Amino acid sequence: MEIQAFGYLGVGSSHLDDWAAFATSTVGMQSVDRASSMRAFRMDDRKQRLFIDRAIEAGTQVFGWEVGNVTALDSLAGRLEAAGVAVKREPAALADQRCVSGLISFTDPAGNRLEAFHGAQIADDPFKPGRNVSGFRTGPQGMGHTLLTVPDLDAALAFYKDLLGFRISDFMTAPVQAYFMHVNARHHSVALVGAPVRSMHHLLVEYYQLDDVGQGFDLLQKTPEKIVATLGRHPNDLMTSYYMRTPSEIYVECGWGGREVDDATPPVEMASVGSFWGHKGLFEDIGAPSSARPDPAGRRAPVQVMEGNYQRMTGVCPWWDATRGNAR
């Protein structure tokens, strides 16, 4: 299938200055000069990854999905139209505003506006974070992931899986219905959760260093009312993260250490989405039943690190070596 990554997010809001302060000083993005009706932000070498626009209806979002080239974009448009989905070839003016070479737009069964694009523009200047962070893990894995709640989960699942080509990483059918879906090595670029209303719950941004997450959480202690969920570790993507409020009705998850997946590994059914530890407040916020909340029952997994992002310790522990030997 054509979609390769979650390329950008647009948010409808009139709180432009609040978003500018939040995205730069709190998250660490770089502000980009744009028109008076919007604000845009960088996370890497791309000209923009996030934009806040007064012209977009407040409380709604635009999800930009990247394809490889114009041929792939045309192929996706043709398949959508053959399935009865209305597709609009957007004008060059909107493509310029999105900082891409070309794009189409359409809606998913829940009514979310999706855009597919190719040819993301690269900035002339190096990325300069708004606060002192090591940088964001983007590249081929895209800007992060998003979690969407949808009233008709079956319809949304069929749309994202069969039409758009997303693959299921893992899923849960009870006590809540949730599907975590990938288009590249990132564990999931979108998560679909059955709920009475359509909404975007959060955007994940992933840092290169764990210290960036810890330092960001420290900064939030000055405004504890913005904390949605404390530091914790998820059991499926193994992300160590916290959640915070934005100037809109969505959250941002700031994380590190998400695991990678491949298409050779079959989807896994989860018994619980409860975290290994932490994330206090998250499951209460989404109204999850107690069976879905964290259960400190000795669940754990190795940390996920990239080459050069760790240092091996010296020394030998006979007890640990014996324990590992017995576990084999």
Side-chain angles (χ1 to χ4, degrees), residues 30-33 41-48 121-129:
Q30 177 183 348
S31 180
V32 181
D33 289 335
F41 307 94
R42 290 176 57 188
M43 295 175 66
D44 52 14
D45 59 346
R46 299 279 179 93
K47 281 191 174 181
Q48 70 178 24
Q121 297 174 11
I122 304 301
D124 294 327
D125 302 322
F127 170 65
K128 297 179 180 178

Side-chain angles (χ1 to χ4, degrees), residues 2-274:
E2 296 85 6
I3 292 179
Q4 299 178 341
F6 180 26
Y8 58 75
L9 173 68
V11 177
S13 175
S14 60
H15 303 297
L16 302 184
D17 292 337
D18 292 339
W19 263 104
F22 172 81
T24 55
S25 300
T26 305
V27 182
M29 297 181 183
Q30 177 183 348
S31 180
V32 181
D33 289 335
R34 295 301 300 272
S36 60
S37 63
M38 65 182 302
R39 299 288 184 272
F41 307 94
R42 290 176 57 188
M43 295 175 66
D44 52 14
D45 59 346
R46 299 279 179 93
K47 281 191 174 181
Q48 70 178 24
R49 288 286 192 179
L50 171 70
F51 59 90
I52 314 300
D53 194 342
R54 279 200 184 102
I56 301 173
E57 181 182 353
T60 62
Q61 300 83 34
V62 174
F63 303 92
W65 296 101
E66 185 170 7
V67 303
N69 49 47
V70 65
T71 301
L73 190 65
D74 289 341
S75 175
L76 175 61
R79 189 170 63 257
L80 288 167
E81 288 174 329
V85 178
V87 175
K88 182 179 180 181
R89 272 76 173 176
E90 295 291 353
L94 185 61
D96 290 342
Q97 189 181 95
R98 301 290 194 257
C99 299
V100 300
S101 296
L103 76 154
I104 61 174
S105 65
F106 49 98
T107 59
D108 69 10
N112 294 299
R113 178 183 170 94
L114 309 187
E115 296 179 352
F117 70 92
H118 74 94
Q121 297 174 11
I122 304 301
D124 294 327
D125 302 322
F127 170 65
K128 297 179 180 178
R131 71 173 176 92
N132 187 10
V133 298
S134 61
F136 297 94
R137 190 181 184 193
T138 56
Q141 295 193 1
M143 75 176 294
H145 75 232
T146 183
L147 186 148
L148 307 176
T149 67
V150 295
D152 189 340
L153 183 58
D154 290 339
L157 182 61
F159 182 85
Y160 280 88
K161 180 176 178 290
D162 299 331
L163 270 182
L164 299 187
F166 284 69
R167 284 83 74 187
I168 300 172
S169 302
D170 43 42
F171 63 97
M172 184 177 187
T173 57
V176 295
Q177 288 186 298
Y179 287 82
F180 299 83
M181 309 179 75
H182 66 275
V183 290
N184 51 49
R186 189 182 292 280
H187 176 272
H188 60 282
S189 292
V190 68
L192 303 174
V193 179
V197 297
R198 169 178 67 92
S199 72
M200 174 184 171
H201 184 264
H202 72 267
L203 165 74
L204 163 96
V205 297
E206 184 176 6
Y207 298 95
Y208 275 115
Q209 298 283 347
L210 177 60
D211 290 333
D212 297 324
V213 177
Q215 290 162 6
F217 193 65
D218 275 354
L219 287 173
L220 276 184
Q221 305 311 304
K222 300 176 182 178
T223 53
E225 68 277 5
K226 295 180 181 179
I227 299 173
V228 176
T230 61
L231 274 171
R233 194 176 189 213
H234 287 301
N236 56 347
D237 65 356
L238 303 181
M239 193 76 69
T240 299
S241 64
Y242 62 89
Y243 293 71
M244 59 182 171
R245 303 182 193 280
T246 72
S248 298
E249 296 299 315
I250 60 175
Y251 304 144
V252 167
E253 177 187 8
C254 294
W256 171 85
R259 75 179 181 93
E260 296 184 343
V261 295
D262 58 56
D263 292 331
T265 304
V268 176
E269 182 171 4
M270 300 179 292
S272 170
V273 292

